[in-house]
Amino acid sequence: MSIGIRRPHQAVDLDDVVRAFEPPPEYFESGWFADPEEIERRQLVRLRQRALAAERVPFFARRWSEVGFDPRSITSLEDLWRAPSYDVDDIRRSIEAHPPWGDYQAVLPHQALAEPMRVFMSGGTTGKSRPTFYTQWDREVGALLTARALYAQGIRPGDVVLNAWAYGTHNGAFIFDEALHRWLNCVVVTTGTGNVTSSERQVELAVEYGATAILTTGDYLLRLADVAAEMGYGPADLKIRALPNIGDRGRLESTFDAECFDSYGFHEVQWVSVECPAHDGLHIFEDAFIVQIVDPETGERLPDGELGSICITELYKSGSPQFRYDIKDLSYLYPRERCACGSWLRRMAPFAGRGDNMVKLRGVNVWPEAVGDIALSVPGVAPDWFVRAVRREDRDELVLSVVGEAPPADWPQLQGAVESKLRDRLGVRVAVEVVAPGSLDALTGAGTAAKLKRFRDER
């Protein structure tokens, strides 16, 4: 007989979850329109609670003691700036010093009988994976926040949705499934990637069951549209009307005749923000997050409107705290002002690349994403690219690979046009090579990766 097991349904009261975090569609009728005073009042209460909880975690207690930060001294949201930030290198050092889980977790496996939990991994491509524990509370709230984003992007309760993301050690595919099933009452067809369920079968399932969305990368969704056409299906046969996909907005909207809404989230905190019909920045779910923007190199505060690294504090988790986590994703903040949609929620710009991918070329700071954006503005360049940092003749160089839409005979001219545009805009030379469609898939992870890779440091 099992004794002392607190099962998931006993660990979390869903009524408590709903009281603290409104689910969709109710959220978009109330919390979405909260006034600034209410937003910031709730944030301050939760920030103080989170700080006291994080202080019990050795990782934070040690770092805060080193700089003299006392969580009990928080009396305003501005006081958050006094807490030290940390980044992925600090997490790696924590794991090395306290293997295998690190000392940044608030729960550990020996507590699983009383505190149901899951663990997911981020990273591992160039080093050890970084584990993040999620309690049952974290899973429920995280799924609810994801459901908010999916609802804003056009998915509705009761829809049939194909989940074609890759299931693995990462959090992404699982939290989509939980959001759809537990908070939107959608009928989820879990297909996995094209390596698990063939593209032809994915199309058949979408058509047969009238799927209104297929959750996958934008590139793979466009591939499915091509496969559908090859199978004899027309646009009317695919009932897609929601596009929660990372990819080329213009091509997705024109292919499926549906509106695309950008959003932002990442492994350790789940879903953070989503675009509204005004398409003027991403509204942050401020009952769950405080987003700050800092200089990618110094960590210093940056003013609204200036591109920098996202430094995030979550206000809801109990498993693995994130308290001023400098994620190194680039964005900027809008001033708090009322959006055309009526919301006062703070807005952030869409993901604009990685701060730790910056390469200094002849004294000029260059981000690979900026290189890609400039290249895509040249006629004849398809929306696919990859940048490599290399060391040649004792200096750093960038090599940009772009996909040519023109015949190969025209590629030398296209190469020259892209190199000229980059030199004019950046003030430094970037070497360019033109390649055939599909040539970069192995580098970018097109069709399989949650976020396409666009950069590799080969120095």
Side-chain angles (χ1 to χ4, degrees), residues 58 82 117 140 142 167 175 218 257 265 267 280 289 376 398 435:
R82 295 192 289 104
M117 66 184 74
E140 293 294 355
Y167 280 76
I175 201 65
D257 192 26
H267 165 80
D280 186 18
F289 303 103
L376 295 183
L398 288 182
V435 300

Side-chain angles (χ1 to χ4, degrees), residues 77-397:
L77 295 177
E78 280 294 307
D79 289 329
L80 179 59
W81 286 99
R82 295 192 289 104
S85 65
Y86 65 100
D87 60 25
V88 66
D89 289 331
D90 295 307
I91 293 177
R92 291 189 180 115
R93 284 190 286 269
S94 171
I95 296 171
E96 290 172 0
H98 306 276
W101 307 113
D103 68 345
Y104 57 91
Q105 316 282 2
V107 295
L108 289 170
H110 72 268
Q111 299 168 269
L113 293 184
E115 185 64 76
M117 66 184 74
R118 301 191 70 161
V119 64
F120 291 101
M121 310 285 179
S122 180
T125 303
T126 58
K128 290 185 178 180
S129 295
R130 305 185 304 277
T132 301
F133 280 103
Y134 298 87
T135 65
Q136 188 63 30
W137 173 269
D138 298 343
R139 297 309 294 171
E140 293 294 355
V141 178
L144 185 153
L145 298 174
T146 302
R148 286 179 182 177
L150 295 176
Y151 184 90
Q153 292 171 309
I155 291 178
R156 292 292 177 265
D159 282 356
V160 175
V161 178
L162 266 61
N163 188 357
W165 282 108
Y167 280 76
T169 60
H170 193 270
N171 182 22
F174 293 89
I175 201 65
F176 278 123
D177 189 281
E178 293 168 22
L180 292 166
H181 167 64
R182 297 182 67 79
W183 293 103
L184 288 173
N185 286 63
C186 289
V187 179
V188 189
V189 182
T190 305
T191 60
T193 68
N195 293 329
V196 177
T197 305
S198 72
S199 298
E200 291 77 11
R201 183 59 179 149
Q202 302 241 16
V203 170
E204 289 173 351
L205 291 168
V207 172
E208 183 176 2
Y209 297 117
T212 61
I214 303 175
L215 305 189
T216 181
T217 65
D219 288 344
Y220 186 55
L221 186 58
L222 292 169
R223 168 62 181 155
L224 291 179
D226 291 338
V227 171
E230 293 167 2
M231 295 171 66
Y233 292 115
D237 295 310
L238 286 173
K239 310 297 184 184
I240 303 300
R241 58 173 170 77
L243 296 171
N245 306 88
I246 302 168
D248 186 324
R249 167 179 279 175
R251 291 185 64 200
L252 288 168
E253 290 186 336
S254 62
T255 299
F256 295 99
D257 192 26
E259 194 171 4
C260 195
F261 296 90
D262 207 344
S263 62
Y264 176 75
F266 60 90
H267 165 80
E268 286 88 354
V269 302
Q270 305 172 110
W271 232 252
V272 175
S273 59
V274 69
E275 204 172 25
C276 74
H279 296 289
D280 186 18
L282 281 59
H283 293 268
I284 300 164
F285 299 137
E286 290 194 280
D287 54 348
F289 303 103
I290 297 175
V291 175
Q292 300 169 313
I293 301 296
V294 300
D295 185 287
E297 295 185 86
T298 68
E300 294 299 315
R301 181 177 189 167
L302 291 179
D304 293 346
E306 187 167 335
L307 189 70
S309 180
I310 296 171
C311 186
I312 200 161
T313 299
E314 48 76 20
L315 303 174
Y316 76 94
K317 294 181 68 183
S318 58
S320 176
Q322 275 73 47
F323 201 98
R324 298 210 71 222
Y325 182 23
D326 184 355
I327 185 64
K328 302 300 182 185
D329 284 348
L330 296 177
S331 180
Y332 62 83
L333 282 175
Y334 289 57
R336 187 181 296 284
E337 57 190 7
R338 195 169 197 176
C339 176
C341 75
S343 177
W344 282 99
L345 291 171
R346 198 78 187 269
R347 285 171 286 162
M348 59 186 286
F351 171 76
R354 291 285 300 170
D356 50 6
N357 285 350
M358 187 270 289
V359 178
K360 190 177 288 290
L361 293 181
R362 276 79 75 191
V364 177
N365 292 342
V366 179
W367 277 273
E369 289 77 11
V371 172
D373 287 344
I374 293 169
L376 295 183
S377 69
V378 177
V381 175
D384 198 8
W385 57 274
F386 192 82
V387 172
R388 294 179 294 123
V390 299
R391 188 77 176 168
R392 291 177 178 171
E393 298 179 357
D394 296 323
R395 70 178 188 178
D396 293 332
E397 301 284 359

